[in-house]
Amino acid sequence: MQELRWPTYALRDLVLEEAVPDERGSLRVRDSAGRVYLDAVNGVGCAPLGHAHPRWVAALTAQMQRLSAAANSFSTEPQRRFAAEIVARMPVPDARAFIATTGTETTEAAIKVALRATGRNTIVAFERAFHGRSLGALACTANTAYRHPYVRCLGESEPAEPFATARVLRLPFGDLDALRRTFAEHGAAIAAVFLEPIQGEAGVYPATREFLVGLHGLCREHGALVGADEVQCGFGRTGSWSAWTHIVGDDPALAPDLMWIAKALGGGFPIGVCLARGDLAQAMGKGTHGTTFGGNPLACAAGLASIDILERDGLLAAAGAQLPTLQAIAREEPCARVQEIRGHGALIGVQVGKPAEQLGAAVGDRMMRDHGVLVTVCGGHTIRLLLPYRAGADELREVWRAISRSLESEAT
């Protein structure tokens, strides 16, 4: 069949048809030819319960039969409950929620509230960062291939004639000295520092506690806000509700001011949320931001069902066990061409070869074609695993053997 979509994705030679039924949420999907795959792409981390979890499906079906859409000038019972449940589990103090549909929408909301609440005009972001593809989020995203020809940021010469310029300062990830120098030079203009506690798209690079605590202190010293982008790493993927809390701890004095989450939040249904401290949220008066589908009753029912299933089924603990389980398997069955296994919980990066070798795409293709395992590749060198949270030793061993054997095949 002729492809009628824009050519914006590197399409795999595969048409996915359905999940393989499983009463605990499916870890496997079937293609149009009937072949079954272990799904470590997982909608790019959007299905933490697995596919088509029966209790999640039942909750969505029940809500669909009551009310599926409502303008945000009205409240709905699922929306009010969802906001209360997510605020209660995240570290932002006295938080207020803006409920959106996608991750990039939540980044845009964070940009707006940071600028309006501080009266400042500059945001600090980091090298390798990915914050989304709409123009504001794109300015905070590091990859120039994504940003050209649209946006030029501070200190950049390209693109020469951009559609937009943005007051974003980009620094090396993890470099507190660079951040200290930037505050010394631009501190009065900096509204916020935005970062992913774990850089997912870049190749799964976690921040250290020392860096996050130091960044928090510098922001407090200079009156800037701390913004944690947990679109990919949040909502239980590390084994804790928040990646920030997982790395830093739960001291409220070290909490971020802003946090935004999406992907896993709806269990497979589109929803995102930007949380802001209550005093900051007051800067967003009527008409300052909006969304048509954000916070719709179906999405909020999906989010509520996801929270309930994660807690009832012990899935946060299961997610937290994935990285140490894979590391133990790797020690039992060593593979010399794997350079590093990094991440937290169920957000795992397996670096194959040295970065310059760019083995990732070939290994990922072999994993799909020869071993029936679906993965994404980051930076050309890292196999990223975003398995559903209940995936355990059997699935992780299957993934590890697919990586090892694919690397062996590439060497021959």
Side-chain angles (χ1 to χ4, degrees), residues 292-304:
T292 297
F293 283 102
N296 69 76
L298 283 177
C300 292
L304 287 165

Side-chain angles (χ1 to χ4, degrees), residues 354-371:
K354 297 178 181 177
E357 294 181 90
Q358 293 288 286
L359 292 174
V363 170
D365 285 344
R366 283 189 180 274
M367 291 176 70
M368 178 183 77
R369 185 177 67 248
D370 300 343
H371 304 286

Side-chain angles (χ1 to χ4, degrees), residues 236-401:
R237 188 154 289 277
T238 61
S240 303
W241 284 113
S242 158
W244 181 279
T245 302
H246 185 82
I247 297 170
V248 173
D250 58 4
D251 183 348
L254 296 174
D257 305 294
L258 307 169
M259 178 176 286
W260 49 107
I261 314 151
K263 290 193 183 297
L265 190 59
F269 199 93
I271 188 170
V273 63
C274 182
L275 302 174
R277 279 187 357 232
D279 59 315
L280 303 176
Q282 292 302 312
M284 302 300 291
K286 294 178 179 63
T288 57
H289 201 42
T291 172
T292 297
F293 283 102
N296 69 76
L298 283 177
C300 292
L304 287 165
S306 297
I307 292 169
D308 180 67
I309 293 165
L310 290 180
E311 292 187 333
R312 285 175 181 260
D313 293 4
L315 293 181
L316 272 73
Q322 284 194 23
L323 178 65
T325 299
L326 183 65
Q327 290 170 329
I329 292 168
R331 288 192 294 270
E332 294 170 11
E333 303 178 16
C335 178
R337 300 192 76 190
V338 169
Q339 299 291 304
E340 187 179 16
I341 302 172
R342 54 182 176 257
H344 286 284
L347 175 50
I348 301 171
V350 180
Q351 186 175 317
V352 291
K354 297 178 181 177
E357 294 181 90
Q358 293 288 286
L359 292 174
V363 170
D365 285 344
R366 283 189 180 274
M367 291 176 70
M368 178 183 77
R369 185 177 67 248
D370 300 343
H371 304 286
V373 177
L374 304 180
V375 296
T376 53
V377 176
C378 301
H381 51 68
T382 296
I383 305 298
R384 178 178 52 181
L385 308 180
L386 291 163
L387 284 156
Y389 297 173
R390 78 170 182 85
D394 290 345
E395 290 79 24
L396 290 162
R397 193 176 299 276
E398 182 178 349
V399 170
W400 180 252
R401 289 177 176 173

